[in-house]
Amino acid sequence: MAGDAAKAAEVVLLMGPPGAGKGTQATRVAVARGLTKLSTGDMLRAHVGAGTELGKRAKAIMDAGDLVPDDVIVGMVRAEVEAAERIRFLFDGFPRTAAQAAALDALLADQGAAVTAAVSLDVPDDELVRRVLQRAEVEGRSDDNEATIRNRMVVYHEQTKPLLDYYDAQDKLATVDGVGSMDTVTERIHEALA
Ligand code: ADP
């Protein structure tokens, strides 16, 4: 069969600590592979910007560097997945907890699909702090200050990093060195997914 409709389902997860460069790489990899990028951080920031009820609840949590409740996040993702004609997604910053990972599996199974690969961008902690503080100057994100960054790192190590083992146990994990030029890292991700 020819045509877009026949394109196989593909679900790539881009994982890694705050400041690892997920957002930049997610956009590039999604375009190159014909995937729809879904960034839960961007979706939440859009709600905050639009002043929705969800945005009002999320803002304080995000500014503290804590995680927005799983049911809120899963609800947002479910709406996108169920509305999609094809299951071809690149997730940026999701899942971040074991509950989110389980919910994603169930959601995809309902559509006859599954996670294809999880890419973990590996960057040392001191480099992460340096990058996020630099980004604070350029973008002015309200959660890019030193106290919040430290909490986001702790939350990542405690809640999200264990998910790498979950995907590794399914032979779906690719760990990619996230230190280097943006182009170099993009190339490494493509190689890991090839
Ligand atoms: P970063 O990875 O650089 O911290 P994100 O844009 O991915 O940035 O996330 C910013 C904030 O949005 C997080 O600190 C958290 O409060 C919230 N958030 C984003 N994605 C999720 C998620 N999957 N689960 C819970 N909270 C999330």
Side-chain angles (χ1 to χ4, degrees):
M1 256 198 296
D4 271 359
K7 260 197 170 175
E10 183 173 329
V11 178
V12 175
L13 314 179
L14 199 51
M15 309 186 65
K22 295 186 299 287
T24 307
Q25 298 299 339
T27 302
R28 293 175 167 209
V29 173
V31 170
R33 298 184 73 85
L35 301 173
T36 299
K37 171 182 144 173
L38 279 189
S39 159
T40 45
D42 286 349
M43 290 158 84
L44 291 169
R45 279 185 287 278
H47 275 280
V48 173
T52 66
E53 275 312 308
L54 193 162
K56 283 177 199 156
R57 278 204 288 149
K59 185 171 188 334
I61 298 171
M62 294 169 76
D63 282 350
D66 291 324
L67 294 183
V68 172
D70 289 330
D71 58 338
V72 172
I73 299 290
V74 170
M76 285 192 330
V77 170
R78 173 178 289 120
E80 297 287 338
V81 170
E82 289 182 351
E85 277 173 36
R86 287 171 296 141
I87 303 298
R88 292 188 56 78
F89 289 108
L90 187 145
F91 286 104
D92 161 19
F94 174 86
R96 262 171 149 99
T97 65
Q100 291 179 18
L104 177 62
D105 284 348
L107 196 56
L108 293 175
D110 279 350
Q111 312 284 329
V115 170
T116 314
V119 176
S120 165
L121 275 184
D122 199 26
V123 178
D125 276 1
D126 53 348
E127 169 71 7
L128 294 172
V129 175
R130 196 189 64 73
R131 286 188 191 179
V132 178
L133 290 177
Q134 190 179 35
R135 181 170 74 186
E137 284 177 24
V138 181
E139 293 179 17
R141 253 174 63 173
S142 59
D143 61 345
D144 278 350
N145 60 74
E146 200 151 355
T148 303
I149 294 158
R150 282 194 202 292
N151 188 41
R152 279 154 61 201
M153 300 275 184
V154 169
V155 169
Y156 173 76
H157 282 287
E158 285 179 356
Q159 310 233 38
T160 307
K161 207 159 177 246
L163 293 183
L164 302 183
D165 293 334
Y166 176 72
Y167 293 111
D168 195 22
Q170 302 172 49
D171 275 332
K172 290 180 176 175
L173 181 69
T175 301
V176 169
D177 179 1
V179 181
S181 73
M182 285 202 244
D183 288 348
T184 304
V185 175
T186 306
E187 202 42 53
R188 287 181 192 141
I189 296 172
H190 284 308
E191 279 168 22
L193 291 173

